[in-house]
Structure formats: structure tokens, C-alpha cells
Amino acid sequence: MSTPLIRPAEPHEYDEIARVWMESWVSTGLAETSNFLLANLRARVLREIEDGWSLFVADDNGTIAAMLALHLPKLYLDQLFVAPAYQGRSLGRQLLAFTRTQLPDEIVLRCVRENEKAWRWYEREGFVFEREEVASATGFMMKCYRWKRETRDE
């Protein structure tokens, strides 16, 4: 198996990115596949890019294996979703390592409280829980996390 290449997303890929996002979100058991959900995610990709997202994909020889959305000025890892067929292959860890090259000193993120698999993974990866808040866009209760690069006293 080749290692997917992490690169900036291209506009012609936005529909496929939304599909990967939906399939990965549905794999959490917190939503069901629907044309309505897919349409909302397609619209959100465009809206979020206009609002400052840096959007990346993990490209496996032309197949989008994952999507990663960062809001660099806010130090925010907004979305990290791996297609179900690629889950369990350390692709999330590769995307997180890439995120740390883009945001080397500090990263903040939010994770749906009911998505225990995801937030436990972020905790194992060194993120520290700070608080819970309701997401205004979705109504989900979100767990807010922060990671800071360790500094050495010299």
C-alpha cells in the first residue's frame, strides 16, 4: 500500500471531498447518509474556504483518502476526516503530523462529545481538554481541546 500524498485541495475536488467527509462522519454512527447531508457539506466546503479554510486532501493515486481543513490564523484544526476504507491505517496520524508542520506551536480543535473514538484519539495525541460548548451551526455539544508544543527551559 502506498502512502497517500497530503496536498492542497483543488476546486474540482470539492464535491468528492464533501462525499468523503459525509462517509467518514456517517461511519461514527452519529448521522445517516443522505442527499441533504451531502448538499449541506458541499455548500459548507465552499463557504468555509471563503471564510479562511486551508483545505488539504490525502491523495492516494487519484483517490481522495481523507480531508483536512485548517484555519491557520485561528490556530484551528477544523476538520479531519478519513474515508472509511482508509481508517485504521495511521492516515489520521499522518494528517495530524502534517497539521503540526502548519501550526507548529499551538493547535485548537473541537470534537463532538458523542464521538468518543475521536476525542480519545486526540487525547492520546497530546491534546488537552479545556471545556464543552454547543456548536451554533449543528447544535452538537463539543469538547474543546488545545495542544501546545513543549518548550524547554534553557
Side-chain angles (χ1 to χ4, degrees):
M1 180 189 86
S2 62
T3 300
L5 171 71
I6 299 171
R7 61 165 176 79
E10 298 175 15
H12 70 87
E13 297 172 315
Y14 293 169
D15 283 352
E16 181 65 11
I17 291 166
R19 187 190 59 74
V20 167
W21 186 2
M22 179 182 72
E23 289 177 357
S24 181
W25 175 238
V26 166
S27 77
T28 67
L30 297 173
E32 293 183 8
T33 300
S34 71
N35 290 332
F36 180 75
L37 177 57
L38 183 58
N40 279 339
L41 294 176
R42 283 180 174 147
R44 186 163 171 207
V45 166
L46 295 173
R47 187 173 64 248
E48 297 284 3
I49 287 170
E50 289 175 3
D51 210 27
W53 258 11
S54 296
L55 185 60
F56 300 91
V57 295
D59 180 343
D60 184 22
N61 296 313
T63 299
I64 295 176
M67 59 93 69
L68 172 68
L70 306 175
H71 199 292
L72 298 172
K74 296 180 181 178
L75 307 175
Y76 190 48
L77 189 172
D78 197 355
Q79 306 293 332
L80 189 164
F81 281 98
V82 176
Y86 288 86
Q87 292 174 7
R89 299 184 187 182
S90 297
L91 186 51
R93 191 166 278 127
Q94 291 170 330
L95 289 163
L96 188 54
F98 175 83
T99 299
R100 287 181 170 137
T101 70
Q102 303 296 302
L103 298 167
D105 297 320
E106 184 174 2
I107 303 168
V108 294
L109 63 84
R110 299 183 323 161
C111 197
V112 173
R113 180 174 60 191
E114 288 76 19
N115 191 356
E116 185 174 347
K117 181 179 177 185
W119 59 257
R120 288 203 183 279
W121 181 75
Y122 284 115
E123 288 177 357
R124 286 192 305 273
E125 293 296 325
F127 285 79
V128 176
F129 173 77
E130 293 189 326
R131 69 186 182 287
E132 289 189 346
E133 66 186 27
V134 176
S136 57
T138 64
F140 280 109
M141 182 60 75
M142 307 297 286
K143 293 179 69 113
C144 302
Y145 286 89
R146 183 177 310 271
W147 169 85
K148 286 188 177 185
R149 180 173 53 91
E150 292 184 21
T151 55
R152 293 188 186 103
D153 295 330
E154 297 185 33

